Amino acid sequence: DMTGKTGSLCVRRATYWCPELKADDPAKKGICSNFLCDTSPGDEVKMTGPAGKVMLMPEEDPKTDLIMVATGTGIAPYRGFIRRLFAEDTPAAAAYKGEAWLFLGVANSDALLYDDEFQAAKKAYPDNFRIDYALSREQENKNGGKMYIQDKVEEYSDEIFEKLSNGAHIYFCGLKGMMPGIQDMLRGVAEAKGLDYDEWLKGLKKSKQWHVEVY
């Protein structure tokens, strides 16, 4: 109802394709994801949480820039951020004057989640919201290979490093396999700028600008 009191889940049904059966093996399907996907409107579901404070937006300064990096269902928390800032009728939405910048990596354009919502937010708030997609099967990186999330972020590395030096918060959410490529890319950029990457990262963590929630 856009008053900031609605919860929403982004769930991918986990299945296992058995090469011997040449079909999904029901004994190896994901318990939680299939339970949620099989529920019907009106079903009662027990929930617990929230847990942790990693994926919270900063509240001290409404001009703080947010850099949001996601792969696949890691888009979920950012959908909440974007709704809170650009769709809901809340004090946070009224106060926000920074720039929220979303990077989403998926295989192809058919796999883009909530694109209609994000495009609407971009149209309504062009000075406060940016979107960049990394489509690994449709785009090429600067070396002619597949465009992964770290490649798309690297294209804007100068701007991102400048934003972080000015207090921006950066968030990462998705499969944990995304982080080594991102860390390697950031290390390379930092060293090219004459920065000690480990000290740079330590500084971001100390000032609580670095947020990681991977699984």
Side-chain angles (χ1 to χ4, degrees):
D1 60 5
M2 297 305 165
T3 62
K5 299 178 181 177
T6 300
S8 179
L9 301 178
C10 178
V11 182
R12 178 178 181 178
R13 186 187 292 272
T15 58
Y16 173 76
W17 177 265
C18 178
E20 294 179 0
L21 296 174
K22 292 184 170 55
D24 287 335
D25 185 346
K28 297 180 180 178
K29 67 181 183 180
I31 295 172
C32 295
S33 65
N34 280 272
F35 169 77
L36 289 170
C37 289
D38 290 337
T39 55
S40 301
D43 288 352
E44 289 192 6
V45 178
K46 290 184 178 180
M47 301 184 70
T48 184
K53 300 180 180 180
V54 175
M55 302 302 283
L56 295 180
M57 291 187 292
E59 297 181 341
E60 297 80 14
D61 184 355
K63 297 189 295 294
T64 300
D65 291 336
L66 309 177
I67 302 165
M68 305 166 283
V69 183
T71 56
T73 53
I75 192 64
Y78 308 136
R79 186 191 187 204
F81 285 17
I82 292 160
R83 281 201 166 202
R84 176 57 52 93
L85 296 175
F86 305 121
E88 295 177 350
D89 182 14
T90 61
Y96 190 65
K97 297 296 183 289
E99 181 180 76
W101 192 353
L102 173 65
F103 291 90
L104 172 60
V106 293
N108 51 55
S109 50
D110 290 342
L112 290 173
L113 299 168
Y114 313 119
D115 181 60
D116 55 339
E117 295 182 22
F118 301 151
Q119 296 300 336
K122 183 178 179 181
K123 183 176 181 180
Y125 298 91
D127 296 331
N128 303 98
F129 183 49
R130 292 168 67 176
I131 318 171
D132 280 283
Y133 291 141
L135 308 175
S136 61
R137 295 180 186 169
E138 296 180 11
Q139 300 171 332
E140 290 187 353
N141 62 26
K142 64 182 181 181
N143 298 319
K146 291 183 177 181
M147 175 69 78
Y148 291 114
I149 189 70
Q150 63 266 27
D151 302 313
K152 180 59 67 173
V153 174
E154 185 178 15
E155 289 182 3
Y156 300 94
S157 57
D158 287 345
E159 191 173 357
I160 287 170
F161 269 65
E162 182 179 357
K163 283 180 175 290
L164 290 170
S165 70
N166 290 325
H169 284 234
I170 190 164
Y171 300 80
F172 303 93
C173 189
L175 294 175
K176 59 185 177 183
M178 70 187 273
M179 289 308 295
I182 288 173
Q183 296 266 33
D184 290 345
M185 178 275 294
L186 291 174
R187 180 181 295 276
V189 173
E191 291 175 352
K193 293 178 176 292
L195 299 171
D196 182 315
Y197 175 74
D198 294 323
E199 288 299 315
W200 176 80
L201 181 56
K202 188 185 297 183
L204 290 179
K205 290 179 177 179
K206 184 177 181 180
S207 57
K208 299 181 179 179
Q209 294 171 251
W210 180 268
H211 309 260
V212 179
E213 185 72 70
V214 293
Y215 39 84

